[in-house]
Amino acid sequence: MEKKLKKIVRDIPQHWVGDGFPVRSLFSYGGGNEFDPLLLLDYAGPHEFEPDQAKRGVGEHPHKGFETVTILYQGELEHADSSGGHGTIGPGDVQWMTAASGIVHEEFHSRRFAKEGGVLEMVQLWVNLPAKDKASQPKYQDLRDKQFPRVSLPGDAGTVRVIAGEFMGQTGPASTFTAVNVWDMQLAADGKTDVHVPDGHTCVFIVQKGSVRINGEAVEAVELAQFEREGSIVTLESDSASRVLVLTGQPIGEPVAGQGPFVMNTRDEIQQAMRDYQAGKMGHLA
């Protein structure tokens, strides 16, 4: 059964997060929880940075109640958090940070990237946690490009890099709390394929490069296609060599209350999160 297109999101204005990330927010839970369990997606760049001595990015700040997933395509980033997680990631690598009961972190361009300059391109996705998991211990998954299985699409239509979930029998290495699929698709020019996605899942396709037709509708780079939850087959045709990020998730179906870096179930829990952060209960960077 075809998974029908719900809408195509276009012409999203760019804004800066800190002084290092020029992003377009392709969706957010702010207008309702229609992307449940996905909360927010910022697509940064591609943006050319000149060589600089400045430390560009976002300094120490908290999160609680969800996970952040950073997929880097170009450039190099450094991360550190109060759970002890830290690292430098390059093209193809992924940081999967579980804020859960509360974490403090920072994210900057790496010192080498800042010094040499270059193009930065990345995605940051927020994934909600069920109420029962929001008090879990924070954790950090440092996932490298070579860890992700690649699947060849039938008819030489392209390849799929499986970051989380399962695609054509291959399972991605990212550990998730709920059923979530994150697939990075590289499509050949004039490629055509039927993508099978779980019936009942929230589902979005984000075209990052090139030009494609999704169920016959033209979708260009930096545009998002959102689908109805019913159905399981999406037809994808590429007019040029293209890259498409596919996200699906089993809806959690719980109330969402959010403010800034905190996403909980009630306003009282948001107020408690603020008090916990101010009291230093989410830790500090070393």
Side-chain angles (χ1 to χ4, degrees):
M1 176 181 173
E2 180 184 275
K3 202 170 187 71
K4 293 184 178 178
L5 265 173
K6 186 174 183 180
K7 64 181 175 184
I8 298 173
V9 178
R10 297 189 165 101
D11 301 324
I12 302 298
Q14 188 179 79
H15 66 278
W16 283 81
V17 175
D19 62 358
F21 305 111
V23 308
R24 293 177 175 85
S25 297
L26 296 187
F27 66 80
S28 167
Y29 68 97
N33 196 25
E34 62 178 318
F35 295 93
D36 181 19
L38 313 176
L39 293 168
L40 174 152
L41 185 134
D42 280 348
Y43 179 35
H47 184 88
E48 177 90 27
F49 286 88
E50 296 295 327
D52 198 343
Q53 296 301 315
K55 189 177 182 181
R56 292 185 178 275
V58 181
E60 182 175 328
H61 61 283
H63 288 298
K64 183 173 183 176
F66 62 99
E67 299 181 290
T68 66
V69 181
T70 303
I71 306 171
L72 189 63
Y73 296 96
Q74 300 184 74
E76 194 171 70
L77 298 177
E78 291 179 357
H79 161 95
D81 67 55
S82 55
S83 77
H86 62 86
T88 300
I89 63 169
D93 298 337
V94 174
Q95 292 176 338
W96 198 296
M97 186 185 77
T98 304
S101 60
I103 201 168
V104 171
H105 82 139
E106 64 177 17
E107 46 201 345
F108 288 101
H109 298 186
S110 74
R111 281 160 284 190
R112 183 175 67 179
F113 180 73
K115 182 179 178 181
E116 296 178 357
V119 176
L120 179 75
E121 183 182 10
M122 57 175 276
V123 160
Q124 186 166 87
L125 169 70
W126 290 13
V127 181
N128 202 11
L129 293 174
K132 66 182 181 61
D133 295 318
K134 285 183 182 289
S136 300
Q137 286 295 310
K139 66 177 183 179
Y140 176 76
Q141 299 177 68
D142 187 330
L143 304 169
R144 300 293 163 164
D145 181 50
K146 63 184 180 184
Q147 294 176 251
F148 303 120
R150 266 76 169 176
V151 179
S152 296
L153 294 170
D156 295 325
T159 60
V160 177
R161 200 170 66 119
V162 187
I163 295 172
E166 182 178 338
F167 184 86
M168 292 179 64
Q170 295 293 317
T171 302
S175 169
T176 65
F177 284 79
T178 59
V180 173
N181 291 299
V182 181
W183 305 330
D184 215 3
M185 308 188 77
Q186 299 278 349
L187 299 170
D190 299 321
K192 180 178 180 179
T193 189
D194 286 338
V195 182
H196 293 258
V197 297
D199 185 18
H201 272 212
T202 296
C203 179
V204 295
F205 282 31
I206 297 117
V207 179
Q208 298 171 305
K209 178 182 175 184
S211 173
V212 303
R213 277 166 286 142
I214 299 176
N215 290 352
E217 294 286 335
V219 186
E220 304 292 333
V222 201
E223 295 181 347
L224 175 147
Q226 180 187 6
F227 298 85
E228 303 288 352
R229 287 180 178 157
E230 297 74 23
S232 59
I233 299 175
V234 176
T235 300
L236 193 53
E237 301 169 88
S238 56
D239 298 324
S240 60
S242 304
R243 189 177 73 226
V244 180
L245 179 63
V246 176
L247 307 173
T248 89
Q250 176 68 50
I252 294 172
E254 296 177 350
V256 171
Q259 184 167 334
F262 307 125
V263 181
M264 306 299 291
N265 297 106
T266 68
R267 293 303 305 170
D268 286 346
E269 290 172 341
I270 292 293
Q271 295 299 320
Q272 184 61 52
M274 292 178 178
R275 289 192 291 271
D276 288 347
Y277 172 58
Q278 291 164 356
K281 293 182 179 179
M282 297 182 190
H284 298 282
L285 299 180

